[in-house]
Each structure stands twice: as structure tokens, then as C-alpha cells.
Amino acid sequence: MRCGRKRKGEIGLTLITCPNLHAYARVIGVNLTRHTGGVKGKYIHATRTISTRRNMSIQQYKSTLAHELGHAYYQDEPAINGHFHARQERKADEFAANLLLDHDDVQSAMVWNNNHLGATAIELEVTVHILKTWLNMERKNSKHELPRMG
């Protein structure tokens, strides 16, 4: 779901908002709740519930909620095996990066912020971790593209 995205050819930063993320959670049948202290977020598959920690920055909240939505989307249940757990976490990070970031927006923000990851992440309202995840995915994807002619 690419809620709140600009159409091809439009110029300007169009961010996924918290209400967009909340609406997406409703669409996929996930309940949202909050908790105090502890982990930033958790997804409980048995109840289709995501709980996020109170008092996070907007970057942390959006990145955490999008990450947990990834777990919900993939219907992840806690993995005891470290390899499978790491794979679930990577997939949830990649889901969040794809949900929250757009190629044109990232490129524009990187130029505007002189490739400074921290400043770019703040502008895009994501954590540096989610921005790095997106950049790594872009690098992997661009390796498979053919060189452009002319």
C-alpha cells in the first residue's frame, strides 16, 4: 500500500503520515495499542496487535510502526532460531523502508542534505536504520539493472 504517495512526474516531498499507517493497520486487520517503557514495538500475531512505546520521536514512531506492520503483513510469529529471527527482522525492516520511502524523495533529500544520513533521515521522518536499509536495497537492485544508453 502506497498511501499518501505522489504520482509519477509530481515534484516535492510526499511523506507517509501516521494516519496513513494507522489506516493501513486497519485495512490489514491489525489493532494498535501503546505501552510505557521497554521495547519500541512488538507485534503479537495471536491477537493481530501492534504495541508501540509512548514518547518516541516521530522518526522512531513511524519507523517502528512500519516495521511492526511488516511483521503483521508477513504474519510473523516469534522465531526461536536465530537465523530465522534475523531473517524476519530484515524482511520487516525492508517492508518498512519500502512503505515509508520513495526513490525521488530520498534522492532529493540526500542532495539537499549533502548526503548526510542523519539530516536526511530527519527530513524524511524515518530512523537512520530504515534509511540505510532502503539505501542498501537500492544498491542491490541497481546492480541488476542494465546500463542506460544515451
Side-chain angles (χ1 to χ4, degrees):
M1 178 176 179
R2 290 252 181 212
C3 35
R5 288 282 180 216
K6 63 183 176 237
R7 290 184 175 86
K8 187 173 182 169
E10 286 182 309
I11 298 174
L13 194 63
T14 306
L15 298 174
I16 295 290
T17 63
C18 291
N20 295 140
L21 292 172
H22 298 168
Y24 181 69
R26 282 191 302 276
V27 166
I28 64 170
V30 171
N31 302 306
L32 300 178
T33 188
R34 309 291 298 276
H35 62 270
T36 303
V39 297
K40 289 187 285 184
K42 56 188 168 188
Y43 168 66
I44 301 129
H45 184 66
T47 59
R48 301 273 302 153
T49 301
I50 292 173
S51 182
T52 51
R53 189 175 65 207
R54 289 182 176 84
N55 299 319
M56 289 191 286
S57 69
I58 190 66
Q59 294 92 337
Q60 289 175 323
Y61 177 71
K62 284 174 61 175
S63 297
T64 299
L65 179 54
H67 172 94
E68 298 305 328
L69 286 168
H71 286 304
Y73 177 82
Y74 293 116
Q75 300 181 18
D76 288 344
E77 298 200 36
I80 297 169
N81 180 294
H83 169 75
F84 292 116
H85 176 75
R87 189 168 76 183
Q88 285 179 336
E89 292 304 307
R90 187 190 79 249
K91 283 175 56 180
D93 284 343
E94 290 174 353
F95 181 92
N98 277 322
L99 185 64
L100 296 172
L101 297 171
D102 171 81
H103 178 81
D104 294 338
D105 291 344
V106 172
Q107 294 306 92
S108 296
M110 291 291 284
V111 168
W112 181 258
N113 292 292
N114 294 317
N115 292 321
H116 186 275
L117 293 180
T120 299
I122 289 169
E123 181 174 340
L124 296 170
E125 295 183 347
V126 297
T127 60
V128 171
H129 176 75
I130 292 296
L131 178 58
K132 284 180 177 180
T133 298
W134 189 91
L135 291 169
N136 287 333
M137 289 176 5
E138 274 289 294
R139 283 188 198 103
K140 287 177 189 174
N141 290 337
S142 66
K143 287 180 185 177
H144 302 293
E145 290 179 10
L146 296 174
R148 296 185 183 189
M149 304 298 284

